[in-house]
Amino acid sequence: MSEEIKLTKLAKCAGCGAKVGAGVLAKLLQDIKVHTDPNLLVGFDKSDDASVYKVSDEMALVQTVDFFPPIADDPYTFGAIAATNALSDVYAMGGEPKLALNIMAVPEKMPKEAVHQLLKGGYDKVYEAGAIITGGHSILDDEPKYGLAVTGFVHPQKLLKNCGAEPGDILFLTKPLGIGILTTAAKVDMVSKETYARAIELMTTLNKSARDVIVKYRVHACTDVTGFALLGHGCEMAQGSNVELHLDVDKIDLIPEALELARIGIIPEGAYRNRAFAEEHVDGGNVLLAKQDMLYDPQTSGGLLVAVHPDDADALHKELKNAVPSAQRIGICKKYAGGKYIFLHDKGDV
């Protein structure tokens, strides 16, 4: 099917790189009155990954929605990536996905078999997650778009938020970085087949295994690293927790081919939006510009950024190594001293 239709040629931007910038989004929402409800544990005013509503002392609903333009030419692959990405927000809250609704926009002339394969990719990933697609909504549009509205369950006392990190917490990341750069370069055939296949594998790997491990430990904060990049989502965690994140860049798994592309200036537009939002809060130290660019690179279906109690760090790291694509111990949280929220270090000087 990928030989018959090139989905990425139908869209101006791809995957989570299409997200409205975090700074712009905050301005769009700033004058909207937020209604309160004692059972609303997490709302949109918290800049978290999903909303959470307490139903009982034993159960809370986790709800999220995510969709985007094609990030792969093959319809089935695009559907699988979009579904994996949408499900991730529930995992980032410590929840388990249960129900999903399709959200789809397709060009009127898009072949029916291509639409079928797109939906099949989404269905297969939802079923892999142990959830069920129960319906959805579709419209005609010049650009194809696909994603899911997902509902999951979590115990109210075991809810994970993107804030709550404490001084001394150890930071972990569960997937490599560089997806935005690779998918941008792939549009002009500048990525090797092996690396591109690895990128697809990463984007279609559920964060279920990561979630199943981290909920066993004293995790104080968690978020998935997607369109706002490691530094954008890291800023939200640091500001919400009132801590500094000190990152050892040499310990972060940067996909080698993506780093080489960054060195020659192959950077997606979304990375510049992320830099505009987060750069004022980041001390780049002596870290090479290309490496910094990768930390601003928008990830599609990225891994989880986790802040865990230091006494649990070694055990968590050991278990993650057998459960996630890349178990990285990338830094530490420190008490906020005013000024910058994130400090980049090189050569292990954290």
Side-chain angles (χ1 to χ4, degrees), residues 246-249 330-332 334 343-350:
H246 289 256
L247 304 181
D248 186 344
V249 178
I330 66 170
I332 190 169
K334 296 184 179 182
F343 295 81
L344 304 184
H345 304 269
D346 217 353
K347 306 300 182 185
D349 62 342
V350 175

Side-chain angles (χ1 to χ4, degrees), residues 27-342:
K27 291 179 181 178
L28 293 173
L29 295 172
Q30 65 183 1
D31 294 327
I32 297 178
K33 183 178 180 181
V34 178
H35 289 262
T36 60
D37 184 317
N39 291 316
L40 183 63
L41 305 181
V42 180
F44 79 82
D45 56 312
K46 303 299 184 183
S47 298
D48 217 318
D49 296 300
S51 64
V52 183
Y53 191 87
K54 181 180 176 182
V55 177
S56 70
D57 290 341
E58 302 295 323
M59 181 187 294
L61 293 179
V62 183
Q63 291 194 308
T64 185
V65 59
D66 210 314
F67 67 102
F68 48 60
I71 194 165
D73 285 323
D74 177 66
Y76 179 89
T77 302
F78 169 40
I81 293 171
T84 303
N85 183 74
L87 292 160
S88 181
D89 285 341
V90 176
Y91 293 130
M93 307 297 292
E96 296 181 81
K98 292 299 179 184
L99 302 173
L101 297 171
N102 284 316
I103 300 170
M104 184 175 66
V106 292
E108 192 169 6
K109 295 182 179 179
M110 187 169 172
K112 289 183 174 60
E113 179 58 24
V115 178
H116 173 77
Q117 287 298 314
L118 187 161
L119 291 169
K120 188 175 187 301
Y123 273 72
D124 284 351
K125 277 297 163 182
V126 170
Y127 294 155
E128 181 184 335
I132 306 170
I133 292 181
T134 59
H137 185 66
S138 60
I139 64 170
L140 296 176
D141 193 354
D142 292 339
E143 285 190 0
K145 301 173 185 69
Y146 178 67
L148 301 170
V150 186
T151 298
F153 300 152
V154 68
H155 192 288
Q157 299 302 316
K158 297 178 180 180
L159 166 67
L160 300 179
K161 301 179 182 180
N162 69 352
C163 57
E166 300 179 1
D169 281 353
I170 305 301
L171 296 165
F172 289 89
L173 184 63
T174 65
K175 286 185 182 182
L177 300 180
I179 293 298
I181 292 170
L182 292 176
T183 53
T184 297
K187 288 187 173 184
V188 288
D189 298 321
M190 292 182 66
V191 179
S192 68
K193 291 182 179 179
E194 295 77 12
T195 298
Y196 186 70
R198 174 61 173 158
I200 295 298
E201 180 184 12
L202 289 169
M203 289 187 286
T204 54
T205 298
L206 295 171
N207 280 325
K208 181 179 187 301
S209 295
R211 176 265 176 202
D212 290 348
V213 170
I214 67 175
V215 295
K216 302 177 185 178
Y217 298 93
R218 286 172 288 179
V219 170
H220 295 144
C222 180
T223 186
D224 60 341
V225 176
T226 54
F228 298 155
L230 176 62
L231 294 183
H233 291 288
C235 273
E236 291 180 336
M237 179 180 288
Q239 291 172 332
S241 306
N242 199 37
V243 298
E244 298 173 357
L245 306 189
H246 289 256
L247 304 181
D248 186 344
V249 178
D250 277 354
K251 299 293 179 62
I252 299 175
D253 188 358
L254 306 178
I255 300 172
E257 196 166 331
L259 181 57
E260 290 306 310
L261 289 164
R263 291 182 191 275
I264 62 174
I266 306 300
I267 308 294
E269 182 180 350
Y272 294 103
R273 291 196 296 268
N274 291 336
R275 183 182 282 276
F277 163 67
E279 187 174 34
E280 65 177 302
H281 305 298
V282 177
D283 183 335
N286 296 317
V287 174
L288 292 173
L289 178 61
K291 290 185 177 180
Q292 292 190 44
D293 285 338
M294 291 196 66
L295 306 187
Y296 289 108
D297 181 40
Q299 305 301 287
T300 296
S301 191
L304 300 182
L305 173 63
V306 182
V308 66
H309 191 287
D311 292 346
D312 287 356
D314 288 343
L316 173 62
H317 196 194
K318 182 178 180 180
E319 192 167 354
L320 280 177
K321 288 178 180 178
N322 298 317
V324 303
S326 180
Q328 309 153 60
R329 182 170 177 159
I330 66 170
I332 190 169
C333 298
K334 296 184 179 182
K335 183 178 179 180
Y336 182 58
K340 306 293 186 181
Y341 279 96
I342 297 182

